[in-house]
PDB file of all heavy atoms in Angstrom:
ATOM      1  N   ARG A  67     100.984  90.877 112.077  1.00  0.00           N
ATOM      2  CA  ARG A  67     100.198  90.062 111.168  1.00  0.00           C
ATOM      3  C   ARG A  67      99.561  90.947 110.134  1.00  0.00           C
ATOM      4  O   ARG A  67      99.448  90.540 108.939  1.00  0.00           O
ATOM      5  CB  ARG A  67      99.147  89.340 112.016  1.00  0.00           C
ATOM      6  CG  ARG A  67      98.370  88.311 111.309  1.00  0.00           C
ATOM      7  CD  ARG A  67      97.438  87.481 112.199  1.00  0.00           C
ATOM      8  NE  ARG A  67      96.786  88.186 113.320  1.00  0.00           N
ATOM      9  CZ  ARG A  67      97.159  88.098 114.578  1.00  0.00           C
ATOM     10  NH1 ARG A  67      98.247  87.387 114.924  1.00  0.00           N
ATOM     11  NH2 ARG A  67      96.549  88.692 115.542  1.00  0.00           N
ATOM     12  N   LEU A  68      99.008  92.055 110.516  1.00  0.00           N
ATOM     13  CA  LEU A  68      98.253  93.051 109.597  1.00  0.00           C
ATOM     14  C   LEU A  68      99.290  93.709 108.578  1.00  0.00           C
ATOM     15  O   LEU A  68      99.001  93.732 107.457  1.00  0.00           O
ATOM     16  CB  LEU A  68      97.498  93.961 110.299  1.00  0.00           C
ATOM     17  CG  LEU A  68      96.178  93.430 111.077  1.00  0.00           C
ATOM     18  CD1 LEU A  68      95.582  94.564 111.823  1.00  0.00           C
ATOM     19  CD2 LEU A  68      95.223  92.933 110.044  1.00  0.00           C
ATOM     20  N   LEU A  69     100.346  94.244 109.097  1.00  0.00           N
ATOM     21  CA  LEU A  69     101.195  95.119 108.337  1.00  0.00           C
ATOM     22  C   LEU A  69     102.423  94.339 107.731  1.00  0.00           C
ATOM     23  O   LEU A  69     103.064  94.814 106.865  1.00  0.00           O
ATOM     24  CB  LEU A  69     101.628  96.344 109.143  1.00  0.00           C
ATOM     25  CG  LEU A  69     100.556  97.184 109.714  1.00  0.00           C
ATOM     26  CD1 LEU A  69     101.074  98.282 110.561  1.00  0.00           C
ATOM     27  CD2 LEU A  69      99.644  97.723 108.573  1.00  0.00           C
ATOM     28  N   GLY A  70     102.709  93.187 108.258  1.00  0.00           N
ATOM     29  CA  GLY A  70     103.845  92.442 107.876  1.00  0.00           C
ATOM     30  C   GLY A  70     103.926  92.174 106.367  1.00  0.00           C
ATOM     31  O   GLY A  70     105.040  92.332 105.784  1.00  0.00           O
ATOM     32  N   PRO A  71     102.831  91.929 105.711  1.00  0.00           N
ATOM     33  CA  PRO A  71     102.947  91.679 104.259  1.00  0.00           C
ATOM     34  C   PRO A  71     103.355  92.851 103.517  1.00  0.00           C
ATOM     35  O   PRO A  71     103.860  92.737 102.279  1.00  0.00           O
ATOM     36  CB  PRO A  71     101.459  91.300 103.881  1.00  0.00           C
ATOM     37  CG  PRO A  71     100.864  90.690 105.119  1.00  0.00           C
ATOM     38  CD  PRO A  71     101.545  91.512 106.252  1.00  0.00           C
ATOM     39  N   TYR A  72     103.305  94.033 104.011  1.00  0.00           N
ATOM     40  CA  TYR A  72     103.655  95.262 103.379  1.00  0.00           C
ATOM     41  C   TYR A  72     105.167  95.721 103.710  1.00  0.00           C
ATOM     42  O   TYR A  72     105.603  96.641 103.163  1.00  0.00           O
ATOM     43  CB  TYR A  72     102.751  96.462 103.748  1.00  0.00           C
ATOM     44  CG  TYR A  72     101.342  96.140 103.445  1.00  0.00           C
ATOM     45  CD1 TYR A  72     100.425  95.677 104.437  1.00  0.00           C
ATOM     46  CD2 TYR A  72     100.777  96.370 102.221  1.00  0.00           C
ATOM     47  CE1 TYR A  72      99.097  95.345 104.115  1.00  0.00           C
ATOM     48  CE2 TYR A  72      99.400  95.998 101.849  1.00  0.00           C
ATOM     49  CZ  TYR A  72      98.594  95.525 102.897  1.00  0.00           C
ATOM     50  OH  TYR A  72      97.351  95.260 102.557  1.00  0.00           O
ATOM     51  N   LEU A  73     105.764  94.940 104.576  1.00  0.00           N
ATOM     52  CA  LEU A  73     107.062  95.307 105.160  1.00  0.00           C
ATOM     53  C   LEU A  73     108.125  94.349 104.552  1.00  0.00           C
ATOM     54  O   LEU A  73     107.831  93.111 104.574  1.00  0.00           O
ATOM     55  CB  LEU A  73     107.123  95.320 106.575  1.00  0.00           C
ATOM     56  CG  LEU A  73     106.176  96.198 107.241  1.00  0.00           C
ATOM     57  CD1 LEU A  73     106.134  96.038 108.765  1.00  0.00           C
ATOM     58  CD2 LEU A  73     106.346  97.659 106.916  1.00  0.00           C
ATOM     59  N   ASP A  74     109.298  94.818 104.228  1.00  0.00           N
ATOM     60  CA  ASP A  74     110.341  93.906 103.747  1.00  0.00           C
ATOM     61  C   ASP A  74     111.318  93.779 104.936  1.00  0.00           C
ATOM     62  O   ASP A  74     112.292  94.467 105.065  1.00  0.00           O
ATOM     63  CB  ASP A  74     111.058  94.495 102.570  1.00  0.00           C
ATOM     64  CG  ASP A  74     112.181  93.619 102.057  1.00  0.00           C
ATOM     65  OD1 ASP A  74     112.050  92.352 102.372  1.00  0.00           O
ATOM     66  OD2 ASP A  74     113.072  94.094 101.360  1.00  0.00           O
ATOM     67  N   MET A  75     111.007  92.851 105.854  1.00  0.00           N
ATOM     68  CA  MET A  75     111.703  92.720 107.139  1.00  0.00           C
ATOM     69  C   MET A  75     112.185  91.387 107.304  1.00  0.00           C
ATOM     70  O   MET A  75     111.418  90.365 107.572  1.00  0.00           O
ATOM     71  CB  MET A  75     110.882  93.188 108.308  1.00  0.00           C
ATOM     72  CG  MET A  75     110.347  94.559 108.299  1.00  0.00           C
ATOM     73  SD  MET A  75     111.440  95.854 108.497  1.00  0.00           S
ATOM     74  CE  MET A  75     112.231  95.470 110.021  1.00  0.00           C
ATOM     75  N   PRO A  76     113.486  91.084 107.203  1.00  0.00           N
ATOM     76  CA  PRO A  76     113.937  89.710 107.338  1.00  0.00           C
ATOM     77  C   PRO A  76     113.662  89.090 108.666  1.00  0.00           C
ATOM     78  O   PRO A  76     113.583  87.829 108.758  1.00  0.00           O
ATOM     79  CB  PRO A  76     115.434  89.920 107.053  1.00  0.00           C
ATOM     80  CG  PRO A  76     115.767  91.254 106.871  1.00  0.00           C
ATOM     81  CD  PRO A  76     114.518  92.051 106.856  1.00  0.00           C
ATOM     82  N   LEU A  77     113.570  89.912 109.731  1.00  0.00           N
ATOM     83  CA  LEU A  77     113.380  89.358 111.039  1.00  0.00           C
ATOM     84  C   LEU A  77     111.894  89.076 111.406  1.00  0.00           C
ATOM     85  O   LEU A  77     111.617  88.501 112.424  1.00  0.00           O
ATOM     86  CB  LEU A  77     113.875  90.355 112.088  1.00  0.00           C
ATOM     87  CG  LEU A  77     115.350  90.620 112.131  1.00  0.00           C
ATOM     88  CD1 LEU A  77     115.672  91.788 113.089  1.00  0.00           C
ATOM     89  CD2 LEU A  77     116.146  89.372 112.547  1.00  0.00           C
ATOM     90  N   LEU A  78     111.028  89.373 110.462  1.00  0.00           N
ATOM     91  CA  LEU A  78     109.552  89.375 110.696  1.00  0.00           C
ATOM     92  C   LEU A  78     109.102  87.908 111.156  1.00  0.00           C
ATOM     93  O   LEU A  78     108.436  87.810 112.171  1.00  0.00           O
ATOM     94  CB  LEU A  78     108.817  89.842 109.504  1.00  0.00           C
ATOM     95  CG  LEU A  78     107.277  89.958 109.652  1.00  0.00           C
ATOM     96  CD1 LEU A  78     106.952  91.127 110.675  1.00  0.00           C
ATOM     97  CD2 LEU A  78     106.628  90.382 108.274  1.00  0.00           C
ATOM     98  N   GLY A  79     109.362  86.965 110.383  1.00  0.00           N
ATOM     99  CA  GLY A  79     108.902  85.630 110.675  1.00  0.00           C
ATOM    100  C   GLY A  79     109.418  85.045 111.922  1.00  0.00           C
ATOM    101  O   GLY A  79     108.747  84.585 112.776  1.00  0.00           O
ATOM    102  N   GLU A  80     110.769  85.272 112.157  1.00  0.00           N
ATOM    103  CA  GLU A  80     111.333  84.938 113.439  1.00  0.00           C
ATOM    104  C   GLU A  80     110.717  85.612 114.685  1.00  0.00           C
ATOM    105  O   GLU A  80     110.390  84.916 115.645  1.00  0.00           O
ATOM    106  CB  GLU A  80     112.821  85.097 113.320  1.00  0.00           C
ATOM    107  CG  GLU A  80     113.622  84.641 114.527  1.00  0.00           C
ATOM    108  CD  GLU A  80     115.133  84.980 114.454  1.00  0.00           C
ATOM    109  OE1 GLU A  80     115.630  84.989 113.411  1.00  0.00           O
ATOM    110  OE2 GLU A  80     115.624  85.112 115.519  1.00  0.00           O
ATOM    111  N   CYS A  81     110.437  86.924 114.515  1.00  0.00           N
ATOM    112  CA  CYS A  81     109.828  87.625 115.619  1.00  0.00           C
ATOM    113  C   CYS A  81     108.408  87.184 115.895  1.00  0.00           C
ATOM    114  O   CYS A  81     107.977  86.996 117.025  1.00  0.00           O
ATOM    115  CB  CYS A  81     109.781  89.105 115.294  1.00  0.00           C
ATOM    116  SG  CYS A  81     111.328  89.957 115.602  1.00  0.00           S
ATOM    117  N   GLN A  82     107.669  86.895 114.773  1.00  0.00           N
ATOM    118  CA  GLN A  82     106.321  86.350 115.054  1.00  0.00           C
ATOM    119  C   GLN A  82     106.255  85.016 115.730  1.00  0.00           C
ATOM    120  O   GLN A  82     105.493  84.889 116.673  1.00  0.00           O
ATOM    121  CB  GLN A  82     105.614  86.181 113.689  1.00  0.00           C
ATOM    122  CG  GLN A  82     105.257  87.501 113.085  1.00  0.00           C
ATOM    123  CD  GLN A  82     104.658  87.420 111.663  1.00  0.00           C
ATOM    124  OE1 GLN A  82     105.231  86.710 110.827  1.00  0.00           O
ATOM    125  NE2 GLN A  82     103.685  88.164 111.441  1.00  0.00           N
TER     126      GLN A  82
END
Side-chain angles (χ1 to χ4, degrees):
R67 189 171 40 256
L68 289 172
L69 302 178
Y72 304 97
L73 305 172
D74 183 23
M75 301 294 301
L77 295 174
L78 188 65
E80 184 180 329
C81 279
Q82 288 173 316

